[in-house]
Amino acid sequence: MPSYEELSELLDPATTVLLTVECQNGVVGPESALPELAEEARASGVLARIAQLVAGAHESGVQVVHAIAERRPDGRGANHNARLFRAAERLPVQQLSGTTAVGVAAPIEVADEDLVVRRLHGLSPIAGTDVDPLLRNLGCRALIVTGVSANVAIPNAVFDAVNRGYTAVVPRDAIAGVPSDYTTAMVRNTLALVAAITTTDEVLACFKRPRRIT
């Protein structure tokens, strides 16, 4: 884990973006297509901590990007080349464009200045989406990755961020996967090798720290 001084230096509001991954009603909401994952995200406090991070980002001027996974009612353009995609097609709750399922879930609040990026394909919130060019246009250097799931989309986002030259920052208590101990193992054995691992409280403290005027 980086020291507080190192993390504070890294998380300059002018060059930091907070990314929420698939924090949508149909994934982590009360009527989720994935109730086990939704229960883990809520019962563990992960969703509440993500909401805290988003609120802190809004207060400190850190840009927030919400990455949403959805599909057309006809499934056109969606992947079918893995068991995960085929299973998703049979779920009782579908992440259909324009429905409440693909709205950002409470208690996360979406501000006017937030960017919401929606994708119709793939596993990654970054590769093949508008996220990367938006980050570059925003002058992003450090990308804080939060959300679900630690099984698939979170490691995808971290790897893609690192491969594109961003420094990935992962608050370990602001991501969720199933089973719960898998998230701990993923952080320790994989994400810690490529990302700066921290906590929600440490990130919020950095957001609130006064910046020196040069």
Side-chain angles (χ1 to χ4, degrees):
M1 288 178 57
S3 68
Y4 173 74
E5 291 296 327
E6 291 170 333
L7 187 65
S8 182
E9 195 70 27
L10 177 62
L11 298 182
D12 181 342
T15 57
T16 298
V17 173
L18 173 66
L19 178 70
T20 74
V21 178
E22 296 181 25
C23 293
Q24 56 202 75
N25 291 316
V27 176
V28 295
E31 298 182 3
S32 168
L34 304 164
E36 185 180 1
L37 178 59
E39 173 63 18
E40 175 63 25
R42 290 179 172 274
S44 66
V46 163
L47 195 60
R49 284 188 285 273
I50 294 170
Q52 287 181 292
L53 286 167
V54 169
H58 292 158
E59 292 173 4
S60 61
V62 170
Q63 178 68 53
V64 178
V65 177
H66 304 281
I68 301 295
E70 59 183 49
R71 59 185 284 120
R72 288 166 49 111
D74 61 8
R76 193 175 297 273
N79 287 66
H80 307 282
N81 57 333
R83 189 175 72 176
L84 177 64
F85 300 123
R86 295 190 292 273
E89 293 172 2
R90 299 191 295 271
L91 291 173
V93 177
Q94 293 290 306
Q95 314 299 319
L96 299 181
S97 302
T99 67
T100 57
V102 296
V104 175
I108 298 170
E109 294 189 1
V110 181
D112 290 341
E113 62 269 22
D114 291 2
L115 297 172
V116 180
V117 178
R118 303 179 182 277
R119 76 177 194 275
L120 293 171
H121 63 87
L123 299 171
S124 175
I126 296 178
T129 75
D130 286 340
V131 170
D132 182 37
L134 290 174
L135 295 180
R136 296 196 183 282
N137 289 345
L138 291 165
C140 176
R141 292 180 56 237
L143 182 66
I144 304 170
V145 179
T146 68
V148 297
S149 72
N151 306 75
V152 179
I154 294 298
N156 247 228
V158 171
F159 294 151
D160 287 343
V162 172
N163 284 335
R164 284 160 175 77
Y166 306 106
T167 298
V169 178
V170 179
R172 63 174 183 264
D173 56 353
I175 63 171
V178 288
S180 57
D181 57 356
Y182 180 80
T183 301
T184 302
M186 168 60 74
V187 170
R188 179 187 300 119
N189 298 309
T190 302
L191 300 185
L193 302 177
V194 294
I197 305 301
T198 183
T199 66
T200 295
D201 286 345
E202 289 170 342
V203 171
L204 290 172
C206 291
F207 283 173
K208 296 174 182 176
R209 182 179 181 181
R211 298 286 158 176
R212 290 175 298 187
I213 299 175
T214 57

